[in-house]
Amino acid sequence: MTLIAPWTSPSHRPSAAVFDKHLYLFNGWDRARVYDGISGSDHAAGIDGPPQTWSGANVRAAGVSTVGTHRVRYRYYDVDRNNFSAPSNAVSVVVAGGGDEQVTFNVGGLNEIQLSPDSRVDFIILEVTQIDQVEFFEAARVPNDGTTPVFNLADNDLAEFTLPWPEQVGTVPPPLFRFGIRFRSRIWGAGQVVHEDGTVSVTNGSPTVTGVGTNFTLDGIEGRYFEIGTTKVRIASVASATSLTLAENWPGTTQAAASYRIYTEDDLLFWSEANYPEVFFGDNSIAVWNSVTGLASYGSDMLIFGQSTLDRLTYSNAPEDGVRREVPGNRGAYTHHAIVQVDGTVYVMDRRGIYAYQGGTPTHISRPIDTFLVGFVDEDYVDKIHAVWYPSPRVIRWFYVRVGEPTGEPKTYVEYDLSRQAWSVGELDVPVTGGEGYQDRQTLNPVVGDDNGYTWYDDNGISAGGGPTTPARIQVLEGSSPTNTFVPLEPNQLGVFDNLDGVLVRNEQDFTAVVDFNDASSLTLQSPGFATPPDAGSWLQIGRLVSRLRTRAHYMDGSWKTRKRGVYLWLHFEPQTEGEFRVRFYRNLSNEAYRAYDRRALDAAMGRLEQEGVAVPDWNRSDFTVSLAKADGVVKIPVGGEPWRVVQAEIEVVEARSTLILYGYQFTSAEGRETRA
């Protein structure tokens, strides 16, 4: 993989938009970045304009120019991205006498035309007005390599070369905004970012702010507000990552090691010029009523989300002339990444659950799982919420940090099946920190990223980096003393694996850890490592992730509670030559797997079934064990009897060598009657 955006960080998570085969990245703190898919790295979006100190110094030679006063300026142009900078200051050039003059402008000297230091700039464009007019025309185009522009100032010739871009002069690189989308041939962006890394010390009457663990040397910090408590002052300049100067002396009390905030005052909605994704004019924005948390297109309109608000912006040609209307329902969006659009419907996760928007009042759709979801999202990590669309099974997953998750990373997800309008929930061993659709030659595939820097074709078991694509078992060195984070290995086991950084490892106690680095004879694990050290001589699994599936909640009507012979789970899978998987049940929406089985009743039920390949749980255990080598790939597992009103099954593959291809499942009574979900 190629690292294209080393400037991104967990404190300022980026969003992305694609425009004309270029990927644009925004995080609200650093200047927007752009990647062309070919280069080895990304670049800052936009082109910085020329200095505003051009004197217009020139020399004359024989030529043909129109007598009078012309206005002249220059700007930079990038052909590949069809991108131009703001112009220089305009200067007056007077053609006197009979107009038999040609003009040559000097390049490179003090107050002369300056070359752009941006390697992507292809040309310097000279723009000139006709005599005593205000409209500019393209007079000359020279490479950004020091070539001297030479041309005639003839009005008739100029009239043939109108500028290909808007006439406005207030062009700036993309403003700083937290997230952006492509919509109606423009880049749109909004959203504030609050910076509060580390602590600061301030002294009453002094403009100096000293930080510890701060990172002040970031784009655009000048002009933002610095705040402690309710006192705020604008930032004038930055000296280093740990030192900045305020625009006025600090009026508050002297403080040391204080928490602080740096942020922009205005919450604005920005848009670029049509067909120019990196060109913004100073008035291309409107103030929004509430703090914007996300944007989405809906037909020819723009949807603007707040925490509990949803507005719809409608316009014909100019966004600034648009009409903004509030959508009823008091719904919003947790974050920009919690919004996904499928087949003309917008699906969104907010603090009240998940809803669908189809143009009228939003429809709440997550009621079956609200007791699992609402109130259990860790509000300290809402920026890590993100939705991923899986086209093949037609499901959407929302990943989030559940309350109580010690890592503070998004391991939990809820999943909505669009075809069946059914919900399920899941949890992964490795956090999924982002996801997006990837278009290959045949289909759109979901690609997700984990917190170790690897990308995955989700649900396909294939990693785009980091270790084996097939599972492997390795043995801990006999007679050794492994620790939670260091594991000696038997010789000659890791010869084919040069680099296991970030790969998941599971021990025989089902504890999971992540490899930090390895050599041929040992593994060093990322802290905290295993919950308990593995035993000497025991086995570890590396490579393919184990998997776990929990079904929907199935409800039994009143007559089922009187059935003495209970409920059964049918599983249909593709037989394998080896391996096994486990099945456990959850009763009445409990979060704890059921353990209180009557072993005699279970043994009797299994005896009546007369089947092989299923082992019932031991005393006070929850798991049935199913052999993947069962010839017909069909098993029937007894679930329970009278006390079961709602039942869910969880199916788990616990050995990396085991491959489970599950075709389907069904809950029935002993008489064959189905449950309802």
Side-chain angles (χ1 to χ4, degrees):
M1 287 193 303
T2 300
L3 180 65
I4 64 170
W7 53 275
T8 59
S9 74
S11 299
H12 309 293
R13 302 169 71 85
S15 66
V18 177
F19 195 110
D20 193 22
K21 300 180 181 179
H22 287 74
L23 176 68
Y24 289 87
L25 296 169
F26 314 94
N27 72 354
W29 190 259
D30 305 276
R31 184 163 163 178
R33 311 290 292 187
V34 58
Y35 179 61
D36 62 10
I38 300 173
S39 307
S41 63
D42 64 330
H43 302 279
I47 302 174
D48 291 322
Q52 301 298 304
T53 56
W54 185 40
S55 67
N58 62 85
V59 295
R60 308 295 174 92
V64 180
S65 296
T66 304
V67 175
T69 301
H70 300 263
R71 299 284 288 170
V72 184
R73 68 191 186 194
Y74 71 94
R75 72 173 82 219
Y76 306 130
Y77 181 54
D78 173 5
V79 175
D80 178 55
R81 294 179 294 156
N82 190 27
N83 187 28
F84 57 92
S85 75
S88 69
N89 58 302
V91 298
S92 295
V93 176
V94 179
V95 177
D100 53 350
E101 293 180 336
Q102 186 181 66
V103 182
T104 299
F105 287 98
N106 300 321
V107 176
L110 181 66
N111 297 330
E112 296 177 344
I113 290 177
Q114 301 296 309
L115 299 179
S116 171
D118 191 331
S119 62
R120 297 163 298 161
V121 170
D122 301 294
F123 293 103
I124 297 175
I125 308 294
L126 270 292
E127 301 173 357
V128 182
T129 67
Q130 295 173 325
I131 294 299
D132 299 326
Q133 301 297 310
V134 295
E135 181 182 0
F136 282 85
F137 298 86
E138 182 178 329
R141 177 178 297 207
V142 296
N144 183 44
D145 61 4
T147 302
T148 302
V150 180
F151 54 90
N152 295 310
L153 294 175
D155 282 2
N156 290 336
D157 293 338
L158 289 173
E160 299 179 12
F161 296 97
T162 57
L163 296 180
W165 38 72
E167 174 61 20
Q168 291 172 267
V169 298
T171 311
V172 295
L176 300 179
F177 42 76
R178 189 175 181 182
F179 39 80
I181 66 171
R182 176 181 177 168
F183 176 62
R184 292 177 64 175
S185 300
R186 303 174 190 263
I187 288 290
W188 294 69
Q192 290 183 319
V193 164
V194 175
H195 185 73
E196 48 192 356
D197 290 351
T199 60
V200 296
S201 297
V202 292
T203 302
N204 177 258
S206 169
T208 301
V209 177
T210 302
V212 175
T214 53
N215 187 14
F216 295 148
T217 52
L218 296 170
D219 293 332
I221 192 171
E222 292 89 351
R224 296 194 178 202
Y225 277 101
F226 172 84
E227 179 182 85
I228 298 178
T230 59
T231 304
K232 65 179 182 180
V233 177
R234 284 198 182 273
I235 298 170
S237 62
V238 175
S240 69
T242 57
S243 178
L244 60 80
T245 301
L246 302 175
E248 59 184 84
N249 291 333
W250 178 246
T253 60
T254 297
Q255 297 194 48
S259 299
Y260 72 99
R261 300 169 75 240
I262 293 176
Y263 60 94
T264 54
E265 180 181 36
D266 297 325
D267 210 341
L268 301 174
L269 175 65
F270 300 93
W271 59 86
S272 72
E273 279 300 293
N275 301 312
Y276 293 98
E278 299 179 42
V279 175
F280 290 74
F281 294 121
D283 56 355
N284 282 21
S285 65
I286 56 174
V288 292
W289 302 327
N290 301 290
S291 180
V292 179
T293 59
L295 300 173
S297 61
Y298 188 78
S300 60
D301 294 349
M302 168 73 74
L303 299 180
I304 306 169
F305 297 84
Q307 287 290 354
S308 58
T309 60
L310 172 57
D311 298 322
R312 186 166 175 171
L313 176 67
T314 302
Y315 71 95
S316 296
N317 297 314
E320 60 268 27
D321 297 330
V323 177
R324 187 173 164 195
R325 298 182 177 88
E326 184 177 357
V327 175
N330 297 321
R331 302 307 298 257
Y334 259 124
T335 71
H336 180 70
H337 300 288
I339 306 165
V340 64
Q341 190 170 40
V342 180
D343 298 338
T345 300
V346 181
Y347 298 90
V348 191
M349 179 178 175
D350 66 3
R351 283 180 167 79
R352 294 171 57 188
I354 296 172
Y355 64 93
Y357 178 73
Q358 295 178 307
T361 301
T363 302
H364 188 78
I365 61 173
S366 63
R367 186 163 288 106
I369 58 161
D370 279 349
T371 55
F372 178 85
L373 177 65
V374 178
F376 292 95
V377 176
D378 195 321
E379 295 288 330
D380 291 335
Y381 302 104
V382 295
D383 282 349
K384 298 185 179 183
I385 298 171
H386 59 278
V388 181
W389 162 239
Y390 294 73
S392 181
R394 293 188 57 77
V395 300
I396 304 170
R397 284 183 181 175
W398 282 267
F399 293 90
Y400 64 97
V401 181
R402 188 166 173 82
V403 170
E405 170 54 50
T407 65
E409 295 295 342
K411 292 184 176 182
T412 304
Y413 66 85
V414 294
E415 178 179 286
Y416 183 58
D417 187 316
L418 272 65
S419 299
R420 298 186 297 127
Q421 297 184 358
W423 287 93
S424 58
V425 300
E427 183 178 339
L428 303 176
D429 288 316
V430 173
V432 171
T433 55
E436 191 58 75
Y438 169 74
Q439 182 73 52
D440 64 16
R441 294 181 179 179
Q442 296 179 331
T443 186
L444 183 71
N445 296 307
V447 179
V448 299
D450 64 27
D451 64 341
N452 300 303
Y454 298 115
T455 55
W456 301 81
Y457 296 107
D458 200 16
D459 283 351
N460 290 333
I462 301 173
S463 168
T469 56
T470 56
R473 299 179 76 222
I474 53 177
Q475 189 174 19
V476 180
L477 181 65
E478 293 279 4
S480 64
S481 299
T483 69
N484 298 67
T485 57
F486 182 77
V487 183
L489 302 174
E490 289 289 339
N492 304 318
Q493 296 189 93
L494 293 182
V496 296
F497 304 134
D498 296 329
N499 181 7
L500 293 175
D501 298 4
V503 172
L504 198 71
V505 181
R506 181 183 287 261
N507 63 18
E508 292 180 351
Q509 288 74 41
D510 287 343
F511 292 122
T512 301
V514 177
V515 177
D516 191 11
F517 58 89
N518 72 281
D519 55 29
S521 61
S522 66
L523 298 176
T524 299
L525 308 177
Q526 294 181 10
S527 181
F530 289 123
T532 59
D535 296 329
S538 64
W539 290 88
L540 307 177
Q541 298 172 355
I542 63 173
R544 181 185 298 153
L545 297 177
V546 297
S547 58
R548 186 183 306 119
L549 164 73
R550 188 179 295 191
T551 69
R552 297 173 289 164
H554 289 254
Y555 292 80
M556 310 175 196
D557 61 33
S559 62
W560 279 52
K561 295 199 293 187
T562 63
R563 304 285 183 180
K564 295 298 184 181
R565 298 177 66 181
V567 182
Y568 294 84
L569 172 67
W570 291 81
L571 295 175
H572 302 261
F573 57 90
E574 183 173 308
Q576 308 291 326
T577 57
E578 63 174 352
E580 61 187 28
F581 62 94
R582 298 177 184 175
V583 180
R584 62 190 67 95
F585 297 99
Y586 295 82
R587 186 184 72 167
N588 301 337
L589 300 180
S590 171
N591 286 323
E592 298 292 332
Y594 187 72
R595 295 171 176 266
Y597 291 105
D598 184 329
R599 275 300 304 272
R600 288 178 296 180
L602 272 183
D603 291 340
M606 294 299 295
R608 290 194 299 271
L609 293 176
E610 296 182 350
Q611 65 173 335
E612 299 178 353
V614 178
V616 300
D618 291 332
W619 172 253
N620 202 31
R621 298 290 182 180
S622 61
D623 292 359
F624 292 80
T625 302
V626 180
S627 171
L628 282 164
K630 192 169 188 297
D632 60 358
V634 178
V635 294
K636 183 179 179 183
I637 303 174
V639 176
E642 295 87 344
W644 297 76
R645 182 70 180 88
V646 181
V647 60
Q648 287 177 284
E650 187 170 72
I651 302 163
E652 182 179 20
V653 177
V654 294
E655 293 184 332
R657 65 185 178 88
S658 300
T659 300
L660 172 61
I661 301 175
L662 185 65
Y663 292 126
Y665 74 91
Q666 183 181 38
F667 283 103
T668 70
S669 67
E671 294 79 7
R673 183 179 175 187
E674 283 193 61
T675 62
R676 60 184 177 87

